Amino acid sequence: MQFGVFTIGDVTEDPTTGRTPTEAERVQSMVAIAKKAEEVGLDVFATGEHHNPPFVAPANPPILLSNIAAQTTNLELSTATTLITTNDPVRLAEDYAYLQHMAGGRVDLMLGRGNTGPVYPWFGKDIRKGIPLAVENYHLLRRLWRETAIDWEGEFRTPLHGYTLAPAPLDDVPPFVWHGSIRSPEIAEQAAFYGDGFFHNHIFWNKEHTQAMVRLYRQRFEHYGHGAADQAIVGLGGQVFMADTEAEAKRIFRPYFDNAPVYGHGPSLESFTRDTPLTVGTPQQVIERTLGFADYVGDYQRQLFLVDHAGLPLDAVLEQIEILGKEVVPVLRREFEARRPEHVPSNPPSHASLVAEGPDSPHRKVISATAGLDQVTEEAAV
Amino acid sequence: MTRRLVVLTAGLSQPSSTRLLADQIAGAVAAEVSGRGEAVDIQTYELREYAVDLATMMATAGMPTARLDQLRRAVSAADGLVVVTPVFAASYTGVFKMFFDALDTDALNGMPVIIAATAGTPRHSLVLDHALRPLLSHLRAVVMPTGVFAATEDFGGGAAGRDLAGRAGRAAAELAAHVVSTGGDAVAGFTPTSTGRDSGVDVPTEVTPFMKLLGGHSG
C-alpha cells in the first residue's frame, strides 16, 4: 500500500505568529516537503493545481514535479488534482508524458474538475459544462497517449488532424490515472469505465458519503469487467496532526484549525474530528483511525495525508512527516496488509507494473472496458 | 394512502406566534386532506433547532451534518410543505433563508407549498409575495395562490381573527387538492415517472451509463 502527502499550496498566515510566508518560501517549502517524504520512506507526493491566490500550487504541476523528480529517487509523483476541464488535453498529454521521461516513470496523476468558478471563464470554459468537459477531454487525452496520427473532432477543442504526441509516453505506457470527485457519481462512473483509480478527498465530508461514492465506483468497476469490486483501485485523503499526547496535539493545532481556510471559524475542533477523518492526537490514535477507513471503503491502495495547510510553519510540517514516516506508516503498512485478502492488490499500478503487462495490456487500449463494447462498435459504424 | 405534510417554522422565540400560525395551517391542511378521504402525517420542524447545523454547513463549504441531512431527506420526501417565517428587517429570517440555501437545486421540484409569515404590523404583509414566493418559485416549488400572513392583531378576536382562519382554510384547501391529486392521475409512460425531486443527500444508486456520457467518442 502506498502512503504519502498531498498539498494545495495555500499561503496562509500563521495565526500564532501573525507571519505569512512569502510565495517564494511557500513554493520552496513544497519541494522540501516532498524531499522529506522520500527521506522518511513515504511513497507519494501529490500537488494540487491552482490558478489563483492565496495558492502557489503550480498552474502546471509537471513544473514542480520535474524539479522534485531531479532531487528524489523513489518517490511517486502525482497530482491532487490536475484540472481536466480547463486545461487543453493536448498540453496535458504533452506535459505529463514529458514528466514521465524526466522522472523515469515515477508519475501518475489525479484528474479533477476544479471548484473555483472564475477559473473556467479565465480559460474560456463554462463551469456548467464541467462533466461533459471532463468526459470529452479525458477521452481525447487517452487517445493522445495511445494512438498516432490522430484525427479528432469534439465539442470543446479545435479539431486535430494527423496529430502525434512527442515525446510518446515513456516505454509507450501512459501514466496511471486517478479520478477525484467528492460528490459526482458521473466521475466515479468514468473511473470505473476505464478501470482507472478513484480517489475520494474524504477530509471535508462525512464518512457515509465517502463510503457511498467508493461503493458506487467499485460496483461499476466490476460491471465494466475490470475485476471484482474489491479489486478496484481506491485512494483516500486524510488529515492529521500529532504530538506525544492528545492534549498537546490539540493545544498546538487548535489555533491553526480555528483559523484554517475552508472550515476555520466554523465547527469546533472536537465536532470536526468526530464528523470527518481529521485526527488530532497521538501517532497511535492516527494509526487506529486510519485503519478504520478500510472498514467502510474496503481494502484500498493509496492513503494521502494533508499536513501542510492552515499556516503551519515548515518545520512543524516536516516534523509531522517525520512522525508519519517513522512511527505511523510502518505500522499501517503491516496492519493493512494483514487484513487484505490475497486477491486484492496492495498497490495501484505503477509504471513498472504496467510495462510488465506488455503491449496487449488493457491499460494501453483507449477503451479498456469489456462491458458495453458492442454499443461502441455500433456507434462507430453509424 | 397517507400523505406526508412537512411544516417548517422559523420562529426564534418560545412560545412563538410563528409556530402558532404553523400549527393552525397544519391543522387546516389535515382537515382538508381528511375531508378528501386521505390520512395525513404531519411532521413539524423548528428551523431554530437547525441553526448550528446550518451555520456549520455554511462555514465548511457545504459539509452537511447528519441531522440536517435527515431533515433534507424528509422535506424532499414530503407530499406537501407549509413554510412559516417571522418577518425580520422586511424579509424572512436568516435561518429560514439558510435552510433553503442548504437544499439541492432539485430538492423541491413540483412541491406544493403554502407560504406564511408573521409580523408585528400588517404593513409587512407583502413579504409573502416579494420575498417568499420568488424564493419558492426559484426552487421550482408550486406555491399556492393564497399565502397566509398574520400580524399580531390577527391573533385577537373580531374580524381580524376570523379572517386569519379563513385565509388558512383557503390555503389549506388549495394545498389539499394538490396533495391528494399527487400520482395516479397520469397515464404511465406519457409523463415523467416522478417529480424529478432529489434531496441530493444520498449518492444515487443508478448512474448514467458511461457510453451515454461519452456520446459519439470512440476508441
Side-chain angles (χ1 to χ4, degrees), chain A residues 284-353:
Chain A
Q284 187 56 35
Q285 285 176 303
V286 167
I287 288 167
E288 284 164 21
R289 193 88 187 277
T290 308
L291 286 171
F293 297 167
D295 292 338
Y296 56 87
V297 300
D299 293 291
Y300 63 111
Q301 287 75 28
R302 178 177 284 182
Q303 173 64 53
L304 299 182
F305 293 102
L306 175 66
V307 291
D308 73 329
H309 81 143
L312 275 168
L314 179 60
D315 55 352
V317 173
L318 297 180
E319 189 190 353
Q320 292 297 310
I321 295 172
E322 181 106 12
I323 301 171
L324 276 178
K326 299 265 169 73
E327 297 179 46
V328 173
V329 166
V331 182
L332 289 179
R333 282 191 206 285
R334 196 170 63 235
E335 296 296 324
F336 272 123
E337 290 321 304
R339 59 160 286 160
R340 188 185 306 272
E342 202 157 315
H343 67 282
V344 174
S346 296
N347 292 304
S350 65
H351 183 73
S353 76

Side-chain angles (χ1 to χ4, degrees), chain A residues 135-136 139 147 152 183 185 189-190 193-194 204-206 209 212-213 216 220 224 262-263 266-267 276 366-367 375-376 379, chain B residues 56 59-66 69 72 104 200-201 203-205 207-219:
Chain A
V135 169
E136 178 178 304
H139 196 73
E147 296 176 359
W152 179 89
R183 57 173 298 175
E189 169 74 0
Q190 182 183 33
F193 177 79
Y194 294 108
F204 297 132
W205 220 265
N206 57 57
H209 180 84
M213 286 291 287
L216 174 66
R220 300 299 288 174
Y224 285 115
V262 183
Y263 53 74
T276 78
V366 173
I367 291 182
Q375 204 181 339
V376 180
E379 282 174 9
Chain B
T56 298
T60 53
M63 189 183 86
T65 67
D69 276 350
R72 293 161 77 208
D104 191 84
V201 172
V203 174
T205 49
V207 289
T208 307
F210 195 74
M211 289 314 303
K212 197 171 168 193
L213 293 174
L214 201 48
H217 298 291
S218 68

Side-chain angles (χ1 to χ4, degrees), chain B residues 151-207:
Chain B
T152 306
E153 64 206 57
D154 293 321
F155 289 99
R162 282 195 299 278
D163 285 355
L164 175 60
R167 290 198 296 281
R170 190 176 333 119
E174 291 163 3
L175 188 76
H178 276 273
V179 165
V180 172
S181 73
T182 305
D185 56 353
V187 178
F190 284 84
T191 63
T193 50
S194 74
T195 57
R197 204 178 294 150
D198 181 2
S199 71
V201 172
D202 299 298
V203 174
T205 49
E206 294 287 312
V207 289

Side-chain angles (χ1 to χ4, degrees), chain B residues 3 5 23-42 114 165 168-177 180:
Chain B
R3 307 302 160 128
L5 180 71
D23 289 344
Q24 181 175 6
I25 296 169
V29 173
E32 291 287 344
V33 173
S34 305
R36 288 163 172 78
E38 300 287 354
V40 61
D41 167 45
I42 300 173
I114 292 174
R170 190 176 333 119
E174 291 163 3
L175 188 76
V180 172

